């Protein structure tokens, strides 16, 4: 998938560059590169550019987290933040609970770190089955709960606050470490940005970043932990040492200058519009019985075909050959349970080409339901 040259990018979980303030960011980088040559000329030391950490801590207050800049480390994207957090809190062979379906990069990461995984399926509401999760905690069956509790990828739902508070309390009581990936939290289209788990327990490790809100290519993420910061900082030092300071400075300035909130409002509106257009089209075009998620926004839709008839691997290959990228369901689990599902990305706008691609996928799905599978 990474190497394929798709015309219609329904496989990713981000958007067209027109969605992001990339011109502003480019101009900030140019200005700062000239006016502060030390940003590029000096050795990268410490856990990150302090003005960026100040902005992150300032914004965190609005979503219920009072965090010290000493407990924040800037990373190369949110993925590095999660990887460092897992390495700091686990030993090979430990067991990690994840929400199912689970963002496939996390499953691959757990595999590469020699961690075992227990997948806890979402209930009807679209978020993790809390009773099952709690059972695992109480039986001491897992060491870590790795969660996308806000705008889950791929289901697009957030765990309600009362449930988050309950999960956080149970995790603390049973010595389970919570690591949360809150990368989509700022894209939630509601009256209030949803709180992360960290708002309910100081022990939760909070990972996030700016790839889904500021620019997918900027590669600036961060991790906050009260208990594991020394270990995380040591692991960062011996893996990627530091994160580009010029990029950090440009993001810091964007946040500081006040344009970020206005940009977020626009981004959320646009994503909600694009998601809604794609959702309507899937409901219209796909065979009866197809189920589709109703995300609180973010970028993606999760499509579930009727019965187990769909061979999603075959659909993926057919689509790729026609220049249409989709994220096939089998990547979101360690077994076959999502072989009749796939994820679609609405981030690249709603236009004739995308509409036509949805129609084409729907036709193939219809055929796969009427033809015998090989
Ligand atoms: C849930 C989730 N976490 C993390 C990432 C990657 O974050 P970053 O690009 O900041 O490393 C993605 C990208 O799609 C994602 O969907």
């Amino acid at each position: 998938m990474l190497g394929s040259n798709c015309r219609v990018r329904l496989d990713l979980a981000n958007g067209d560059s027109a969605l992001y303030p990339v011109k502003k960011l480019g101009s900030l980088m140019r200005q700062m590169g000239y006016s502060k040559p030390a940003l590029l000329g000096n050795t990268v030391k410490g856990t990150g550019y302090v003005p960026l950490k100040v902005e992150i801590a300032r914004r965190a207050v609005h979503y219920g987290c009072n965090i010290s800049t000493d407990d924040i480390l800037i990373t190369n994207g949110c993925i590095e933040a999660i990887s460092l957090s897992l390495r700091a809190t686990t030993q090979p062979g430990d067991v990690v609970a994840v929400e199912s379906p689970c963002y496939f990069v996390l499953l691959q990461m757990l595999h590469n770190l020699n961690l075992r995984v227990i997948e806890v399926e979402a209930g009807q509401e679209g978020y993790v089955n809390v009773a099952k999760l709690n059972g695992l905690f109480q039986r001491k069956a897992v060491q870590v709960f790795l969660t996308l509790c806000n705008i889950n990828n791929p289901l697009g739902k957030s765990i309600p606050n009362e449930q988050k508070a309950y999960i956080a309390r149970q995790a603390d009581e049973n010595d389970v470490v919570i690591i949360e990936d809150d990368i989509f939290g700022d894209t939630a289209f509601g009256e209030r940005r949803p709180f992360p788990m960290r708002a309910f327990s100081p022990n939760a490790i909070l990972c996030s970043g700016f790839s889904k809100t500021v620019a997918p290519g900027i590669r600036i993420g961060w991790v906050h932990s009260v208990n594991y910061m020394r270990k995380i900082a040591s692991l960062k030092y011996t893996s990627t040492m530091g994160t580009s300071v010029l990029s950090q400075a440009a993001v810091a300035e964007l946040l500081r200058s006040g344009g970020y909130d206005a940009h977020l409002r626009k981004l959320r509106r646009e994503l909600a519009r694009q998601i809604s257009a794609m959702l309507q089209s899937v409901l219209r075009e796909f065979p009866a019985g197809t189920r589709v998620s109703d995300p609180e926004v973010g970028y993606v839709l999760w499509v579930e075909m009727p019965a187990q008839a769909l061979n999603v691997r075959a659909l993926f290959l057919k689509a790729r050959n026609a220049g249409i990228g989709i994220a096939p369901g089998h990547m979101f689990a360690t077994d076959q349970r999502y072989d009749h599902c796939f994820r679609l990305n609405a981030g690249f706008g709603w236009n004739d080409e995308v509409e036509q691609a949805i129609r084409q996928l729907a036709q193939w799905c219809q055929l796969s339901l009427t033809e015998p599978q090989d």
Side-chain angles (χ1 to χ4, degrees):
M1 197 166 83
L2 287 176
S4 76
N5 211 356
C6 286
R7 266 179 313 113
V8 195
R9 302 259 35 166
L10 306 181
D11 49 340
L12 306 172
N14 57 32
D16 190 84
S17 68
L19 276 183
Y20 307 107
V22 284
K23 279 207 175 125
K24 175 98 200 268
L25 200 62
S27 123
L28 284 171
M29 285 178 100
R30 209 164 43 244
Q31 278 167 28
M32 297 184 102
Y34 279 120
S35 63
K36 298 185 177 177
L39 293 175
L40 285 169
N42 283 2
T43 310
V44 179
K45 287 191 279 229
T47 53
Y49 184 66
V50 173
L52 176 57
K53 296 209 234 176
V54 168
E55 289 305 317
I56 291 168
R58 193 176 59 75
R59 297 189 64 81
V61 175
H62 298 291
Y63 49 80
C65 301
N66 205 340
I67 65 187
S68 155
T69 53
D70 291 341
D71 294 332
I72 298 174
L73 177 137
I74 308 296
T75 56
N76 292 300
C78 181
I79 279 298
E80 189 188 24
I82 300 165
S83 169
L84 292 171
S85 305
L86 283 168
R87 288 165 64 203
T89 53
T90 60
Q91 302 288 335
D94 280 355
V95 186
V96 177
V98 296
E99 289 139 332
S100 183
C102 178
Y103 171 48
F104 48 87
V105 175
L106 301 183
L107 289 177
Q108 287 165 352
M109 186 187 291
L110 294 168
H111 176 76
N112 291 341
L113 292 173
N114 292 315
L115 295 167
R116 288 179 292 155
V117 56
I118 296 185
E119 297 155 272
V120 186
E121 280 205 23
Q124 283 300 320
E125 311 87 354
Y127 60 84
V128 68
N129 182 320
V130 178
K132 274 200 186 145
L133 187 67
N134 191 28
L136 293 174
F137 289 2
Q138 290 188 340
R139 290 202 307 281
K140 313 278 183 207
V142 297
Q143 281 73 48
V144 170
F145 173 40
L146 175 56
T147 172
L148 273 83
C149 66
N150 291 330
I151 315 288
N152 173 292
N153 174 2
L155 297 179
K157 291 286 184 202
S158 303
I159 302 177
N161 279 347
E162 317 79 66
Q163 307 281 14
K164 282 182 188 143
Y166 176 73
I167 295 169
R169 204 165 50 244
Q170 295 300 325
D172 283 347
E173 278 173 16
N174 293 288
D175 294 323
V176 175
V177 178
I178 291 178
I179 300 175
E180 55 182 327
D181 173 351
D182 195 30
I183 188 119
F184 290 108
D186 273 351
T187 71
F189 190 75
E191 275 176 25
R192 233 190 135 171
R193 186 211 191 280
F195 281 18
M197 290 276 188
R198 172 62 182 84
F200 304 100
S201 167
N203 299 318
I205 302 179
L206 176 56
C207 303
S208 192
F210 299 96
S211 312
K212 308 296 177 188
T213 49
V214 170
I218 193 74
R219 305 304 306 142
I220 298 294
W222 54 273
V223 47
H224 155 71
S225 171
V226 175
N227 304 330
Y228 290 92
M229 194 34 73
R230 280 177 74 88
K231 185 80 193 285
I232 289 172
S234 156
L235 288 167
K236 165 79 178 171
Y237 192 69
T238 54
S239 51
T240 60
M241 195 162 280
T243 299
S244 159
V245 184
L246 180 58
S247 304
Q248 293 185 61
V251 175
E253 188 51 28
L254 191 80
L255 299 186
R256 195 198 60 80
S257 62
Y260 185 62
D261 284 306
H263 157 66
L264 277 184
R265 280 193 292 278
K266 213 168 105 207
L267 175 72
R268 290 183 195 122
R269 259 200 321 274
E270 194 50 37
L271 289 177
R273 200 182 61 75
Q274 292 175 194
I275 282 274
S276 164
M278 190 174 279
L279 179 63
Q280 295 310 320
S281 166
V282 170
L283 290 175
R284 211 170 37 241
E285 304 291 342
F286 275 70
T290 303
R291 288 161 54 93
V292 60
S293 59
D294 182 16
E296 290 159 27
V297 61
Y299 291 80
V300 296
L301 289 174
W302 181 248
V303 182
E304 198 178 326
M305 295 297 297
Q308 303 279 337
L310 179 70
N311 178 345
V312 81
R313 289 171 176 81
L315 177 71
F316 166 70
L317 291 175
K318 215 185 256 187
R320 194 182 62 179
N321 290 341
I324 305 168
I326 60 165
H330 68 275
M331 298 200 303
F332 294 81
T334 58
D335 55 21
Q336 281 83 45
R337 73 182 89 173
Y338 302 121
D339 278 18
H340 60 304
C341 304
F342 52 93
R343 192 192 70 182
L344 296 175
N345 174 32
F348 281 79
W350 184 248
N351 54 43
D352 290 348
E353 193 175 40
V354 176
E355 194 167 7
Q356 182 50 39
I358 298 285
R359 210 169 283 141
Q360 179 64 76
L361 288 169
Q363 278 168 14
W364 285 324
C365 286
Q366 180 68 55
L367 274 178
S368 79
L369 290 176
T370 46
E371 280 175 351
Q373 299 290 308
D374 44 27

